[in-house]
Amino acid sequence: MLYTRSSQQAAQLFREDPEALAVYHRGFALQAASWPERPVERFVHYLHHRSGPASLVVADFGCGDCTLARSLPNRVHCFDLAALDPRVIVCDMAQVPLEDASVDVAVFCLALMGTNLREILQEAHRVLRAGGTLLVAEVASRFADLRAFLGALARLGFRLTSKDVSGSHFYTFELRKAERAEVAKAAEEPRGLALRPCLYKRR
């Protein structure tokens, strides 16, 4: 359901059923136990080793159990559809309560859900400072056309600086917020932005 409806609809779902996110994360934890790696740990390592890491302000979109906030000395704004931790600010990922150009790093770790990805990524672009970093990790099988997806991100104002698509389970990307002149080109819905949903069968 999270992958096949908008972020606004997902936010409404969890307002009506606050226990739904806990159910989701219990299932998530069971799956994660069999993964060869946890992408969030890669991002923790990345942020620990960036120059002046403690001074970087981070926005964690779809933060879950706040692993980033618990693992870093940084100021981390934690956003999700429901709160599994007191640090979480409950909101729609397309409308987070941050000022324009107020964070250095925006993170989507297995959190690019919803049918309105453009709105969600534009929100990340809004809150990032000039030259800020976008970190994305997603399930490899969600990408129908990786080149088209990265092209869509470029039209939304994110320039790819590095990627790792060698893993069997996950792809990770580091991008930079582009200059305003490049962003102006994204007047229409970028082609290639859609990701396949993760669909789970009851067993």
Side-chain angles (χ1 to χ4, degrees), residues 176-193:
R176 290 279 186 272
K177 179 176 176 175
E179 295 299 323
R180 190 171 298 176
E182 297 177 49
V183 178
K185 297 176 183 177
E188 298 179 357
E189 187 73 20
R191 294 181 181 179
L193 191 61

Side-chain angles (χ1 to χ4, degrees), residues 19-120:
E19 292 299 312
L21 195 67
V23 172
Y24 168 80
H25 278 285
R26 283 198 294 272
F28 179 90
L30 287 172
Q31 294 224 5
S34 65
W35 291 346
E37 65 169 328
R38 292 187 68 209
V40 68
E41 293 171 0
R42 179 177 294 201
F43 290 159
V44 169
H45 181 269
Y46 168 90
L47 289 165
H48 268 306
H49 289 81
R50 271 193 61 168
S51 58
S55 65
L56 297 175
V57 179
V58 179
D60 190 359
F61 288 75
C63 62
D65 62 1
C66 297
T67 295
L68 281 181
R70 288 187 285 105
S71 305
L72 296 169
N74 307 67
R75 182 181 182 188
V76 180
H77 299 283
C78 302
F79 303 116
D80 215 324
L81 297 169
L84 296 180
D85 183 285
R87 285 167 280 212
V88 176
I89 298 171
V90 176
C91 62
D92 173 3
M93 297 306 103
Q95 292 182 312
V96 299
L98 288 176
E99 298 293 325
D100 293 357
S102 59
V103 303
D104 301 290
V105 183
V107 178
F108 288 87
C109 188
L110 308 182
L112 282 179
M113 302 178 184
T115 54
N116 58 323
L117 290 182
R118 175 181 176 165
E119 292 178 352
I120 294 167

